[in-house]
Amino acid sequence: MADRPEIRIGTAEREEAVALLGEHFAAGRLGLAEFDERVALATQATVRGDLVPLFADLPSAPAVVASSPGPRDLAEQLLTLVPFVLVALLVIVVFRHPIALLIAFGVLFVAGRRAYRLLGEGRGPS
């Protein structure tokens, strides 16, 4: 969430925030006046960042506010493919299939390039 607070939200996200606020009210974490104030702010929210302060002091937040996997997580997932691709390359070299070798190099190149780009994007200010 912190990486894209300017993303606009819709009715479903506002309703999810209000429902979660209701759960916190029912659990006794919010008083009636505070609940009413936060619900009013949630229904007026237009971007993700508007919902963040409503849940800052509560133990859980709606999915739209919670952190989603960022570029660094995706890059790490892509980089975990590298050993498998290298093993595939080794097998292909042993069996000497030139077309399969080209395909494996292409996959390795694309996965590595994508991971490198995503890691570069993840270095920006948080």
Side-chain angles (χ1 to χ4, degrees):
M1 170 49 235
D3 40 301
R4 301 292 307 268
E6 73 280 1
I7 297 295
R8 296 185 69 83
I9 60 171
T11 303
E13 291 88 354
R14 285 187 284 274
E15 289 174 353
E16 180 184 0
V18 169
L20 191 56
L21 286 169
E23 291 176 20
H24 288 295
F25 174 69
R29 294 185 192 103
L30 297 172
L32 183 58
E34 190 175 16
F35 170 71
D36 288 340
E37 178 184 342
R38 291 186 190 207
V39 166
L41 291 171
T43 58
Q44 297 168 2
T46 56
V47 294
R48 288 178 176 176
D50 294 340
L51 296 177
V52 172
L54 305 179
F55 294 92
D57 60 342
L58 297 172
S60 62
V64 71
V65 175
S67 294
S68 58
R72 186 166 295 278
D73 296 334
L74 183 57
E76 288 173 1
Q77 291 173 4
L78 287 173
L79 286 174
T80 60
L81 295 177
V82 171
F84 297 108
V85 173
L86 290 175
V87 169
L89 284 174
L90 180 62
V91 170
I92 290 167
V93 168
V94 168
F95 290 112
R96 295 192 177 113
H97 292 288
I99 300 299
L101 183 61
L102 289 174
I103 291 170
F105 272 124
V107 168
L108 180 61
F109 175 76
V110 170
R113 185 173 161 198
R114 176 92 172 128
Y116 181 75
R117 264 198 222 146
L118 290 173
L119 282 173
E121 290 174 7
R123 289 192 193 127
S126 296

